[in-house]
Amino acid sequence: MSTELNTDSTRVNKIRKNARLEARVTEEQKHLMERAAFLRGQNLTEFMVAVLAETSMQIIKDCELLQLTDRDRQAFVDALLNPPAPSDRAYADAQWYEQMMNK
């Protein structure tokens, strides 16, 4: 069991818990989870909360993280290093903005 998990588990235990989750599982699933919890040095509730939190964070990270292909990455870097010249419209908009802000 990592120190990070111990620290998180301790911090979670000090926070007042007022929400409840319930789940129905098969006997086999329960025995599997109890064995995994034992191997992590946690009771079943601590294990379930920790695993659900870890998995939830990973799913959110995976869904929110932008992943680029090599081709996409190269196009992005090229655009940053060699940006196109501003259009006439962009120049006009910049001048309008400057006039508005200097009033």
Side-chain angles (χ1 to χ4, degrees):
M1 185 166 34
S2 73
T3 306
E4 184 178 313
L5 284 177
N6 284 337
T7 303
D8 288 343
S9 180
T10 303
R11 189 177 330 126
V12 169
N13 287 334
K14 291 180 182 178
I15 297 171
R16 184 156 190 242
K17 299 172 189 157
N18 58 5
R20 181 174 185 86
L21 292 175
E22 293 184 36
R24 294 251 182 231
V25 297
T26 66
E27 283 295 321
E28 293 80 18
Q29 289 171 322
K30 184 177 180 189
H31 291 304
L32 180 68
M33 291 177 221
E34 287 172 331
R35 181 171 180 217
F38 174 78
L39 293 171
R40 272 185 131 174
Q42 297 172 311
N43 67 39
L44 186 54
T45 300
E46 292 169 338
F47 174 76
M48 289 172 40
V49 169
V51 170
L52 279 171
E54 292 164 10
T55 304
S56 297
M57 286 187 288
Q58 187 62 48
I59 289 169
I60 291 167
K61 178 183 168 189
D62 291 346
C63 290
E64 291 180 348
L65 183 66
L66 177 63
Q67 295 184 2
L68 302 176
T69 64
D70 287 339
R71 189 176 121 226
D72 295 336
R73 191 177 300 106
Q74 188 60 49
F76 179 73
V77 170
D78 288 343
L80 287 176
L81 296 177
N82 304 305
S87 67
D88 291 340
R89 175 68 190 252
Y91 275 118
D93 289 346
Q95 288 175 344
W96 174 86
Y97 178 79
E98 188 175 332
Q99 288 174 358
M100 295 302 292
M101 297 310 292
N102 289 330
K103 284 187 178 184

